[in-house]
Amino acid sequence: MRSLEQALLEHELIVLRVIGEWLNLDLTGTDKSQAVDILAPALASVDLMQEIEYLEPEEAAALADLVRQGGRAPVAVFARDHGEVRLMGPGRLEREEPWLDPTSPAEALWYRGFLYRGFDQTAEGTLEFYYMPPELLAKFAPPSALSGREEPDQPTLRPMDSPVETRPPLIDAVDDLTTLLALAQRTGLHPEWLPALDDLLMNPDRDRRSLLLTLATEMALLRRTEGRLRPTRAAIDWLQRSREAQLRALVDAWSRTVWNELRHTPGLVAEGEGWHNDPLLARTALMDVLPPDDRWYRLSDVVAVIKAQDPDFQRPDGNYETWYLRDAETRQYLSGFDNWVWVEGRLLRYLIQGPLYWLGMVELSAASDPERAGYRYTPRALAWLGDEPPAADAVKVPLVVQPEGALLVPHNASRYERFQAARIADPEPFTPGKPYRYRIVPSSLAQAQEQGITPERMLAFLESASGRPVPTSVRRGITRWAERGIEGRLQTVVVLRVGDAAILETLRGSPKTRDFIAEALGDLAVVIRAGEWEAFRQAVAGLGLLLDVEVGGREQ
């Protein structure tokens, strides 16, 4: 910050004269430079440890707080605890004489020459501070000796009793990311298609899926090509690692990702793009507080400790008025420090119950009461914090090739082999507690061939991954497909049957109905395009023809 002389030069001359009067200096009749030349050495020579004894208790507490913070504090933060300093020009200063009746402890210190205001560069950017010049700060004893009073008890993190019911750590982030990488390999991932993929995931939570895709993109496992996400060579390298190494890579990526937890925190609705927060600040504040051991701690204690020790971790300037956040239930804006628990408090809980839990770093209690909810680090997290190498996979579990063309891939099988299986077979919906299921069909074989996978390679892979000969029926089916292509197709279609062939001619000739009709099934029946039968029925009604609809053997 600025020297005492530089700080005084930024004051109005009338303020310098007010400070001079307190030191019994007559600064009338001089210009600002002359006044500073006289005032600066006089103020620097004052015994401030003695002078602080004559201050009002609130003023002494404000000054002690500033010294404890190293001589500077963001304007909004200091003002929150010790009041504002009204900024006035020379004319208003002469009229109102605010030093005679200061409205806050901060303002009283301002007109005694103990407090100044200015901008300074920080890691978070340029911030405005209240500060004390170094010449004055050096006059004070260690901060703990300033107030003469005991500090109030500060919240601490104390271990809690082990909960009766717990939610074990998740490790399925690896499995769902493997599923997403496999889908990206086959068709590419388009944002609009993602909700339709939920039944293929172990955990279809939208925010968790968003985090995984962001991490995969930042880790260069996925790249955007023509509006779709496609896997890279780095994805193959990641898939071939052990499960613990894969999780470690995801946690490393999470620690520095731009994915913004605040905009995903349950209970909060973030609006507008004109403001921003740095998600790294929240993660750093949290990880600095969590004890690196495997004992249980209450989430409410974590929030209380950070509020007491580092409340402005997310807003270093202390300004709580500029973010557009609503409470999802009440729809009320959550501005001001009074709403800290509903914004910062929620965010801190979400960091633990969301990303850290999803990535297998914590175990959670199953308490329904938020005040009793707890967490503890997993051995995986402690190994990460201790920079210990991740464990290797102990056993390689083979996949199973069934005679009817289904592939069963156990949860603890190689993710790389499951990725390869998904290149030649269609995925079926995931069933908790059951292996992943894929089915070999002509369309999946055709897609594999488009990717350069020959039938011979398909069969070699199935034999290698299963550790057994490929069933004869599956080998024959792949071979026949390679020789003859698709030999049959099962379809779900809507069929229109009429009693007179002339009706079909009318429908084929009308511009309102002809585009709905697909192939003919004889003289009195046609196929209507899937998903369009209701629109077709309405179009036909417009021509004066009413149709019955039969679903499941019943008319509608």
Side-chain angles (χ1 to χ4, degrees):
M1 300 304 293
R2 297 162 181 78
S3 67
L4 178 58
E5 183 176 341
Q6 291 170 326
L8 289 169
L9 281 170
E10 294 188 359
H11 272 318
E12 297 289 348
L13 180 57
I14 188 173
V15 177
L16 299 179
R17 289 170 175 166
V18 169
I19 297 173
E21 288 180 7
W22 172 69
L23 297 173
N24 295 318
L25 297 175
D26 183 5
L27 301 179
T28 58
T30 60
D31 62 20
K32 181 184 288 189
S33 296
Q34 292 174 326
V36 169
D37 289 343
I38 298 170
L39 184 56
L43 190 56
S45 65
V46 171
D47 185 349
L48 295 182
M49 284 301 296
Q50 179 180 349
E51 292 297 328
I52 199 173
E53 299 295 329
Y54 299 102
L55 295 176
E56 294 294 330
E58 295 82 4
E59 298 167 13
L63 194 60
D65 189 19
L66 186 64
V67 173
R68 276 192 293 271
Q69 296 185 61
R72 74 174 190 179
V75 165
V77 175
F78 193 79
R80 188 172 68 223
D81 297 326
H82 307 294
E84 296 274 3
V85 176
R86 294 170 293 174
L87 300 181
M88 303 182 185
R92 186 180 174 191
L93 284 168
E94 290 184 6
R95 292 193 306 273
E96 299 190 16
E97 299 182 327
W99 50 87
L100 299 179
D101 186 22
T103 59
S104 68
E107 194 164 83
L109 296 176
W110 181 269
Y111 292 109
R112 297 294 295 272
F114 291 169
L115 188 67
Y116 300 84
R117 184 169 177 161
F119 289 91
D120 202 5
Q121 194 67 31
T122 72
E124 290 79 33
T126 302
L127 298 181
E128 190 174 18
F129 292 90
Y130 282 126
Y131 70 98
M132 181 182 296
E135 296 92 330
L136 301 185
L137 183 63
K139 298 277 185 179
F140 287 95
S144 60
L146 281 176
S147 67
R149 296 178 298 226
E150 291 186 4
E151 289 292 324
D153 291 338
Q154 295 291 312
T156 58
L157 271 176
R158 297 185 178 89
M160 61 181 282
D161 293 335
S162 298
V164 176
E165 296 184 44
T166 64
R167 294 161 58 191
L170 296 177
I171 55 174
D172 57 17
V174 163
D175 300 290
D176 278 349
L177 183 52
T178 299
T179 298
L180 293 170
L181 291 173
L183 293 167
Q185 174 67 27
R186 291 193 63 179
T187 62
L189 291 178
H190 190 283
E192 295 180 357
W193 302 344
L194 293 175
L197 307 178
D198 285 352
D199 63 351
L200 302 178
L201 302 176
M202 296 180 74
N203 183 342
D205 183 273
R206 181 181 62 182
D207 293 325
R208 176 179 172 277
R209 184 184 66 210
S210 169
L211 173 62
L212 291 179
L213 289 175
T214 300
L215 297 182
T217 303
E218 293 176 347
M219 294 163 65
L221 307 184
L222 290 169
R223 69 173 182 272
R224 189 169 298 279
T225 303
E226 298 179 350
R228 301 183 187 184
L229 292 174
R230 298 280 189 179
T232 65
R233 176 64 202 179
I236 302 302
D237 295 338
W238 180 83
L239 287 163
Q240 291 176 320
R241 299 182 192 178
S242 70
R243 178 179 291 275
E244 291 300 324
Q246 290 170 327
L247 278 167
R248 175 71 61 87
L250 290 177
V251 174
D252 285 340
W254 168 77
S255 69
R256 56 181 180 269
T257 181
V258 299
W259 196 78
N260 194 342
E261 285 90 352
L262 183 65
R263 290 184 176 266
H264 296 269
T265 299
L268 295 181
V269 178
E271 297 180 347
E273 301 296 333
W275 60 273
H276 71 278
N277 64 296
D278 184 351
L280 297 182
L281 297 179
R283 295 181 206 126
T284 300
L286 178 68
M287 301 305 291
D288 284 348
V289 165
L290 301 184
D293 59 52
D294 61 355
R295 294 179 291 182
W296 285 92
Y297 295 92
R298 293 187 191 280
L299 297 183
S300 57
D301 289 346
V302 173
V303 173
V305 166
I306 295 178
K307 184 178 183 183
Q309 297 179 3
D310 188 16
D312 305 301
F313 67 88
Q314 188 72 93
R315 315 192 212 201
D317 62 355
N319 190 338
Y320 286 76
E321 305 296 333
T322 58
W323 293 0
Y324 294 97
L325 292 168
R326 289 183 187 267
D327 184 281
E329 182 175 351
T330 67
R331 307 302 296 174
Q332 297 296 312
Y333 280 110
L334 300 172
S335 60
F337 187 74
D338 290 345
N339 283 306
W340 189 96
V341 170
W342 303 110
V343 178
E344 277 77 2
R346 278 172 168 164
L347 171 60
L348 292 169
R349 288 175 179 268
Y350 181 59
L351 284 167
I352 296 175
Q353 295 174 311
L356 283 177
Y357 180 60
W358 295 336
L359 297 175
M361 301 295 280
V362 297
E363 184 176 357
L364 300 176
S365 70
S368 57
D369 180 1
E371 294 304 311
R372 298 179 61 84
Y375 86 95
R376 72 170 173 181
Y377 273 139
T378 62
R380 179 180 300 108
L382 297 176
W384 178 64
L385 293 171
D387 201 25
E388 300 174 10
D393 285 339
V395 179
K396 178 183 177 181
V397 179
L399 59 82
V400 177
V401 184
Q402 295 187 319
E404 68 274 16
L407 308 182
L408 306 183
V409 187
H411 170 70
N412 54 348
S414 161
R415 271 70 59 199
Y416 174 71
E417 290 186 347
R418 182 158 72 85
F419 175 84
Q420 297 292 7
R423 297 182 68 186
I424 65 173
D426 282 351
E428 296 188 354
F430 175 77
T431 301
K434 301 290 185 180
Y436 287 95
R437 287 181 61 92
Y438 296 85
R439 186 168 297 279
I440 298 173
V441 295
S443 58
S444 69
L445 297 177
Q447 281 189 321
Q449 192 171 55
E450 289 173 1
Q451 299 175 49
I453 305 175
T454 64
E456 292 76 20
R457 284 181 58 194
M458 299 177 199
L459 292 168
F461 162 72
L462 293 175
E463 186 165 326
S464 172
S466 66
R468 303 185 66 178
V470 178
T472 302
S473 56
V474 175
R475 181 179 293 276
R476 183 184 301 118
I478 293 176
T479 303
R480 284 176 64 93
W481 171 83
E483 295 172 350
R484 307 180 187 183
I486 298 174
E487 296 183 281
R489 177 181 290 113
L490 289 173
Q491 289 182 300
T492 300
V493 298
V494 176
V495 176
L496 169 67
R497 298 186 185 279
V498 297
D500 187 341
I503 295 177
L504 291 183
E505 292 301 319
T506 299
L507 296 178
R508 287 193 180 98
S510 171
K512 294 182 179 181
T513 55
R514 63 190 177 198
D515 290 339
F516 291 102
I517 300 174
E519 61 186 289
L521 300 176
D523 295 336
L524 300 178
V526 292
V527 173
I528 304 302
R529 298 189 187 280
E532 298 181 355
W533 67 268
E534 180 59 37
F536 173 72
R537 180 165 68 165
Q538 294 178 13
V540 170
L543 299 178
L545 178 62
L546 300 181
L547 300 178
D548 282 328
V549 178
E550 186 176 294
V551 178
R554 293 182 300 174
E555 290 188 354
Q556 293 187 343

